[in-house]
Structures are given as structure tokens and as C-alpha cells.
Amino acid sequence: NPYAGLVRHLRASWLSGKTRPMEYRVAQLEALGRFLDDKKQEILEATELDMGKPSFEAFFSEILLCKNELNITLNNLCHWMKDEHVDKNLVMQLDSAFIRKDPYGVVLIIAPWNYPIQLFLVPLIGAIAAGNCAIIKPSEISKNTERLVAETLSCYLDNDCFAVVTGGVPETTRLLENKFDYIFFTGTSQVGRMVMTAAAKHLTPVTLELGGKNPCYVSNTCDVTNVARRVAWGRFFNAGQTCIAPDYLLCTVEMQDKLMPALREAITEFFGPNPRESPDFGRIVSDKQFRRIRALLCSGRVAIGGQTDEAERYIAPTVLADVLPSDPAMQEEIFGPILPIVVIANMDEAIDFINARPQPLVVYAFSCDSKVVNQVLKRTSSGGFCGNDTLMHVTLTSLPFGGIGNSGLGKYHGKFTFDTFSQHRGCLHRNMGLETLNTPRYPPYTQQKLSLLTTTFEVKRRGTCTLL
């Protein structure tokens, strides 16, 4: 295997204990900060070349959010690393019981192309903070960013403990043949299954950050203008190539009629009368993705947009009205600047529609009535939830981010990333003396010993608690 030697080298570094001291972890994390500072302009240029990403969006999503994750980690690492002491029973009051946060070892991070810096760097921050060695596999589809990462990251990190591997499907397949101690994958459900199959051969734990069709319910009681602006921003950010973008709207026919002019106005406000000429609207990442997304335009009727240019890989911000559940746009994650509207009769029908499909990465709900938003939250299941906005929940490092079922497995961001890459090791350190306390558990067994054991080990139920 062409990567076996690299994995062995990193494992030897990890076994040496080099990555465990807090000082080492902090130094490597600070080096990542210098990478972001020094390469800021090159990151903006590479993402612009790869998918026409506006510099505003690239700075916000690829640099600012990464710096936030980095600083949250540096600010709290000494607390996160501490042993967590836990409650003890009567017999063990003089002993030490705690949770030790151990690193897993050598981890593999496979990143996608849509946010090619953020989606390798945020997991890497947690992997380093937890004391692991890591191999990073950036996406070959965002080739300019891949080249930047491959050529420059090694200048900042310890090459005995961290490495970048480039290539496409054949290289990734060979890489996955090796035994890793943890695999963190972001991408499609189809490839996620392949990663999980490869990991299962070594019983390697995984985090899978996948995707799906994120529903957005809009009730009849809402501020239509605000809904249109927030939905249009979330759908068309990064030209719709965002795993947590609202994938389709669910609303009544009356709300659809109200939303259409408001969405048209929001799109014009954001991108001008011709979004193709706007510096604030991106392009599709590849010809293959362009053709796939363009084929979805036959769904329902094009109410806004619909223009395309294959040479530029441009698809205009598009809204499709009267889309049927059987239409092509409802059969797969869109991952592009198309927003279908599916008409439903009421909130109950919207909830039934959502629950009849695989659990999404996020559910969105808009209403001026908090009871409506809370009903959608209560009666649906998804990786995350956001009421009266789109995308913004992902900017909070205090919230876990991840999917459920078809949309993923595991969670990260902030301390959750540190915990993901840490083995929470249950530890008990007992006193060598005081053997009399252990006598009741030893044979020969008697009823008296059992009664004594029950008294010292039994946990009794307290009064019931009420959720407020």
C-alpha cells in the first residue's frame, strides 16, 4: 500500500508521546492561526478560481469561522484536557474516579470541495487539540485550494505528526485500506457508506458529516419580506453549494403567492437585475455538477431565474413553483442555486411531509408564532434546527453540528470537536489498603454479605423531576 509507510511514521510519532503535552498542542494550533493569516489572500484567490466564491463569503466561511473555532479551542484547551472527576458510591469515597480525555492516535480527515478550507481545518483543530496525529485528504475537485493546502500546510505543522495526501477516488480508496484510529468524513451519503465499510474492516470509529434535503416550512403568520431575505441568503450563499442550505420550501398556495414577489425583490437586492454580472454570486464547481443541477430545472415551473451558461458554469438564482414530490428536484439533494416550493395545506401536512422522508441535516421553520416553530421542532427529527433564519446556527461553536440517520453520524464544532477526537476513558484509582471494605464482595457468599453490599452500592431513586 503506497500510504502504509506514512501511516506507520505518524503512528510511531504518536506512540512516542510527542503530541500529548498541552504546550505541543497549543504550538500546532497557533501555527494553524499563522497559516490562516499568512495565506488569507491565497485562500480567497484559490476559492474564487475553484467556484467563483465571492471574497466576502470566502472570508466569512473559510477564514473567520475557522479563526473563531481556533480561538475558542485555545481559550479553553487547558480546561477541556483536565480529568473530569465523577460521583462515587459509599465504598469508594476514598478513591479517585475520573474521566481521562485520551487521544485516539492517528486520524484521517477527508474533506469536501464546497468549503475546502473550513471543512478540513475545523476537524483538524479538534484532532490536534485532543492530541492526535492526522492525515488530511482535501478534495481534488476544488483543485486550486487542494494545491494550496498540499504545498503550504506542511510549512506550518510538524511533518512527523501531520501530513496532506492528495488525489482522487483511487488514492482515497488505497488510503482507506490502512488502519486508522478515527476517520472523519464530510461528503455525500453514498461515499459515506463506502468510508464506513472501509472503517468497519478495522473496527475504526467514524464521524460522517453528510447531507440531505433540508426542509423549510413557512407558516401563513410571518413577515414575508424578512422570510424571503433570510431564505434567499441561505439558499444562494456559495451558489447554493452548502450542505445546510434550505433545500425546498413547504408553504400554502397563498403563502407561495406572497413569497414570490418578495423572493424576486430579495434576489434583485442581493445580486442586481442580472446576477450573472454580480461579484457577489458564485459559480458551480465543475461541469459534472453543472449538468446535474441544470437537469433539475424541469421540475414544476420556473418562477424566478432559470438562466444558465455552461461555459461559465453559471446557474441563476432560481425559484421553482408548484413543484410535485415526484419531480426530479425532490429526488436528490439539489446542492445548487435552485429553490423548489412544494405546496401543502397546513402545518400538520408539512410535518407529515418531512417525517415521511429521511432525517435531514437541519429543519427550518418560519413563523411569527413561537408555538408553530416549537411544534415543528417537537414533531420532527433532524441533525439541527433553526427557527426564523437559515445557516446561522452553524456559526455558534456552543452548538453541536452533525446529522442523524441518512444525514450523518456524530457531531463537532467547539468543544464537541475536541470530544469527538478524544477517547473518554473511564478510570478508577483505588487505595491499596483498607481491604476490609472489600471483604463483602468476596466468596464464600452469605446473605449478610449481600445485605452489606446492597447498602453500600445501591442507588436509590429520588423524587420525580418536571421539565419546565
Side-chain angles (χ1 to χ4, degrees):
N1 186 285
Y3 305 108
L6 176 63
V7 174
R8 270 197 308 272
H9 182 77
L10 265 62
R11 193 173 302 286
S13 296
W14 181 74
L15 288 171
S16 74
K18 187 177 186 180
T19 61
R20 287 179 176 261
M22 190 180 79
E23 294 76 15
Y24 178 87
R25 305 183 198 191
V26 167
Q28 297 301 301
L29 291 171
E30 288 176 340
L32 283 183
R34 290 194 297 276
F35 166 76
L36 285 173
D37 291 337
D38 295 349
K39 301 301 175 184
K40 172 187 166 183
Q41 192 57 38
E42 290 174 58
I43 289 169
L44 298 181
E45 290 170 0
T47 53
E48 198 278 330
L49 286 169
D50 283 331
M51 60 187 83
K53 188 173 290 199
S55 59
F56 182 100
E57 292 183 1
F59 177 80
F60 178 64
S61 62
E62 308 283 15
I63 295 173
L64 180 61
L65 293 184
C66 290
K67 289 296 287 286
N68 287 351
E69 290 277 354
L70 195 56
N71 290 333
I72 286 285
T73 302
L74 285 166
N75 290 345
N76 293 280
L77 185 57
C78 61
H79 304 295
W80 295 350
M81 285 178 63
K82 284 181 181 175
D83 290 342
E84 184 180 331
H85 290 273
V86 299
D87 293 340
K88 295 170 287 189
N89 59 30
L90 193 60
V91 173
M92 300 179 190
Q93 286 302 305
L94 300 177
D95 304 319
S96 179
F98 56 93
I99 300 167
R100 169 70 51 88
K101 285 65 171 273
D102 272 350
Y104 274 103
V106 180
V107 306
L108 172 63
I109 297 168
I110 304 176
W113 51 262
N114 58 326
Y115 292 93
I117 297 294
Q118 182 198 139
L119 296 181
F120 93 80
L121 203 58
V122 174
L124 180 60
I125 289 167
I128 293 173
N132 299 282
C133 292
I135 291 179
I136 302 105
K137 169 61 184 68
S139 173
E140 74 283 3
I141 295 172
S142 47
K143 56 182 182 295
N144 292 286
T145 314
E146 177 197 43
R147 187 183 307 116
L148 173 64
V149 172
E151 291 177 357
T152 63
L153 192 65
S154 61
C155 302
Y156 294 85
L157 295 179
D158 181 350
N159 295 334
D160 287 330
C161 299
F162 306 101
V164 177
V165 168
T166 60
V169 174
E171 290 81 6
T172 307
T173 302
R174 296 307 306 274
L175 186 59
L176 283 165
E177 292 171 5
N178 294 278
K179 175 177 167 48
F180 290 95
D181 301 299
Y182 202 98
I183 298 175
F184 191 107
F185 169 80
T186 305
T188 66
S189 299
Q190 179 186 2
V191 180
R193 289 185 179 94
M194 297 177 187
V195 170
M196 199 168 186
T197 300
K201 292 176 183 176
H202 301 288
L203 294 178
T204 298
V206 296
T207 288
L208 303 177
E209 294 293 341
L210 309 176
K213 296 186 72 64
N214 305 311
C216 179
Y217 171 64
V218 181
S219 81
N220 283 344
T221 56
C222 65
D223 185 316
V224 177
T225 301
N226 287 350
V227 171
R229 287 164 59 86
R230 296 175 194 187
V231 167
W233 178 74
R235 173 70 277 186
F236 303 123
F237 191 92
N238 200 33
Q241 299 164 114
T242 305
C243 61
I244 54 168
D247 194 88
Y248 61 93
L249 296 189
L250 293 169
C251 64
T252 63
V253 68
E254 295 83 8
M255 180 49 65
Q256 179 181 247
D257 292 341
K258 291 178 183 177
L259 271 173
M260 211 56 76
L263 284 166
R264 185 177 288 107
E265 186 178 333
I267 290 168
T268 303
E269 178 193 347
F270 293 170
F271 308 115
N274 185 2
R276 182 176 173 179
E277 296 175 355
S278 171
D280 300 322
F281 186 70
R283 297 296 184 265
I284 306 306
V285 73
S286 68
D287 294 335
K288 178 183 176 182
Q289 287 295 323
F290 173 87
R291 289 190 289 269
R292 180 191 64 79
I293 298 165
R294 183 177 60 183
L296 303 178
L297 290 170
C298 63
S299 306
R301 62 178 173 87
V302 175
I304 301 171
Q307 300 84 8
T308 66
D309 184 329
E310 188 164 3
E312 279 191 32
R313 299 198 302 271
Y314 167 77
I315 297 177
T318 299
V319 180
L320 304 176
D322 303 321
V323 174
L324 299 175
S326 57
D327 283 337
M330 295 303 293
Q331 306 311 308
E332 60 179 278
E333 183 179 5
I334 292 170
F335 224 68
I338 299 174
L339 181 66
I341 300 180
V342 178
V343 171
I344 43 86
N346 51 45
M347 181 189 70
D348 290 335
E349 189 179 323
I351 289 171
D352 290 342
F353 190 95
I354 294 168
N355 289 337
R357 285 155 179 78
Q359 294 155 302
L361 194 53
V362 57
V363 167
Y364 295 109
F366 284 85
S367 179
C368 291
D369 185 349
S370 293
K371 290 179 181 177
V372 171
V373 175
N374 287 330
Q375 275 293 303
V376 178
L377 171 59
K378 181 179 180 181
R379 294 168 58 190
T380 60
S381 174
S382 60
F385 179 87
C386 186
N388 293 334
D389 209 344
T390 61
L391 309 191
M392 293 306 291
H393 62 294
V394 82
T395 65
L396 292 176
T397 58
S398 51
L399 288 178
F401 177 77
I404 180 173
N406 228 47
S407 60
L409 173 71
K411 55 189 179 294
Y412 74 126
H413 284 188
K415 186 176 184 293
F416 300 101
T417 320
F418 174 85
D419 288 338
T420 285
F421 284 103
S422 299
Q423 154 65 6
H424 286 223
R425 192 176 183 187
C427 303
L428 175 65
H429 187 174
R430 300 213 64 196
N431 192 304
M432 184 57 82
L434 304 173
E435 184 62 10
T436 306
L437 295 175
N438 297 319
T439 303
R441 75 175 200 240
Y442 297 147
Y445 301 133
T446 65
Q447 188 57 46
Q448 183 183 13
K449 284 184 176 181
L450 184 60
S451 298
L452 192 55
L453 205 66
T454 301
T455 301
T456 52
F457 277 87
E458 185 178 27
V459 176
K460 293 183 178 178
R461 184 178 178 186
R462 294 196 293 262
T464 58
C465 65
T466 303
L467 286 176
L468 298 177

